[in-house]
Amino acid sequence: MRLAVTGSSGKLGRSVVAGLREAGHEVHGFDLHGERGPGFLSIDLTNYGDVVDAIMGVDDRHSGFDAVVHLAAVPAPGLRPDAATFHNNMLATYNVFQACRRAGIRRIVYASSETVLGLPFDQDPPYIPVDEQYDARPESTYSLVKHLEEQMAIQFTRWDPALSITALRFSNVMDPEDYADFPSFDADPLLRKWNLWGYIDGRDGAQAVLRALENAPNGFDRYIIAAADTVMNRSSASLAAEVFPGVEVTKDVGEHETLLSIDKARKVLGFSPRHSWRDAVGD
């Protein structure tokens, strides 16, 4: 496929571009800043006219896309003022969704966030492992936008049943060079309590995007995307019992099994994380 990846210069974006190209796809990167080169376009996604123009075609670079992967955003709470985060992220996502509809592109995969699950879990989750079945609990402007983007996607796919929009609720993205710090988390289980000790290797994030492009059905759906394990050497069951003693654990969890359930992504998309920090650092 010929694909556009917004946010191509970001931490996840770099892994996704590399993974999609390795899989044989023609990838064009869209971002505000990035290294000039083949397939890269500098673009302000809050400008709807520029987004439509870029998706429809750019001189001799391309004449349209088969699908769009939308990762561009202010990537976390607290990096910009709340209103600026809302304005940038909400408008950029609307512009990408709408431009794809106008261009006749029927497959969109985009980055939602684990934050909609209730991070930093100052209020206990309803159960553990958390999954996609309970209502969103945004606790920041950044997370609020991610929730509203999902609601917008529901309506876009209602208007156009042939449209497929897949929201990937990515956990905290990590590169191999980040793993050296992981053993230090064991000193205090509260250090990473904020996302139930989860993470996702960027290469597995790319795999999730690829599987969604290949396998996501028409309509809208959301999937948690996390590594198969936690960031901790302690058992997952002991962490849940100590930090969330009043929360029901709904299944027998493996020794280091993720408490961000990826069962749905495994079953529907065929997602199967291959990378663990333990391979780089060891127990």
Side-chain angles (χ1 to χ4, degrees):
M1 292 185 286
R2 181 185 294 135
L3 305 170
V5 176
T6 76
S8 59
S9 299
K11 189 172 188 178
L12 178 59
R14 294 191 298 271
S15 291
V16 168
V17 168
L20 294 177
R21 285 177 174 161
E22 184 178 348
H25 299 293
E26 177 185 336
V27 181
H28 295 249
F30 288 8
D31 213 328
L32 193 58
H33 305 289
E35 292 186 12
R36 181 177 178 181
F40 177 76
L41 182 71
S42 177
I43 183 172
D44 177 2
L45 294 173
T46 66
N47 185 313
Y48 178 68
D50 285 359
V51 177
V52 172
D53 198 24
I55 284 178
M56 295 293 289
V58 178
D59 287 340
D60 60 348
R61 297 291 186 89
H62 73 87
S63 57
F65 296 104
D66 300 303
V68 169
V69 178
H70 175 47
L71 309 176
V74 176
L79 299 179
R80 296 182 64 185
D82 290 340
T85 298
F86 185 94
H87 177 268
N88 182 89
N89 291 4
M90 196 75 221
L91 187 56
T93 299
Y94 172 82
N95 288 348
V96 169
F97 287 3
Q98 181 72 345
C100 286
R101 288 185 66 230
R102 296 299 188 209
I105 295 169
R106 291 291 177 262
R107 185 160 292 270
I108 303 168
V109 176
Y110 82 99
S112 186
S113 169
E114 65 181 356
T115 62
V116 301
L117 299 167
L119 277 63
F121 293 117
D122 292 334
Q123 177 182 347
D124 286 353
Y127 48 80
I128 293 174
V130 296
D131 59 22
E132 301 87 352
Q133 299 307 306
Y134 65 91
D135 290 340
R137 294 181 171 188
E139 301 291 353
S140 67
T141 296
Y142 170 83
S143 183
L144 175 63
V145 173
K146 292 299 184 182
H147 169 58
L148 294 175
E149 288 171 348
E150 292 186 0
Q151 296 305 302
M152 179 168 60
I154 291 170
Q155 301 309 319
F156 269 73
T157 55
R158 180 176 64 84
W159 295 344
D160 184 352
L163 184 62
S164 172
I165 303 182
T166 302
L168 300 180
R169 292 177 169 178
F170 288 107
S171 187
N172 189 197
V173 178
M174 296 290 178
D175 290 331
E177 54 266 30
D178 298 319
Y179 293 145
D181 293 334
F182 276 37
S184 67
F185 299 148
D186 281 332
D188 183 357
L190 298 181
L191 286 175
R192 295 281 306 194
K193 161 252 184 186
W194 55 269
N195 77 335
L196 299 183
W197 308 279
Y199 74 105
I200 179 69
D201 187 288
R203 295 164 293 183
D204 282 325
Q207 183 212 145
V209 169
L210 180 62
R211 295 290 174 260
L213 288 167
E214 294 172 339
N215 300 324
N218 289 354
F220 171 77
D221 214 339
R222 54 186 77 82
Y223 304 88
I224 296 171
I225 303 297
D229 60 347
T230 71
V231 302
M232 304 290 280
N233 277 313
R234 286 184 50 182
S235 75
S236 299
S238 72
L239 288 166
E242 177 181 341
V243 180
F244 298 101
V247 177
E248 178 188 7
V249 178
T250 59
K251 60 180 278 191
D252 292 331
V253 294
E255 180 69 8
H256 300 126
E257 182 178 346
T258 179
L259 300 178
L260 303 170
S261 175
I262 55 174
D263 292 348
K264 183 177 178 182
R266 287 182 185 274
K267 180 179 179 180
V268 179
L269 301 180
F271 170 64
S272 180
R274 300 168 183 162
H275 300 281
S276 168
W277 69 275
R278 298 168 211 280
D279 299 329
V281 177
D283 291 335

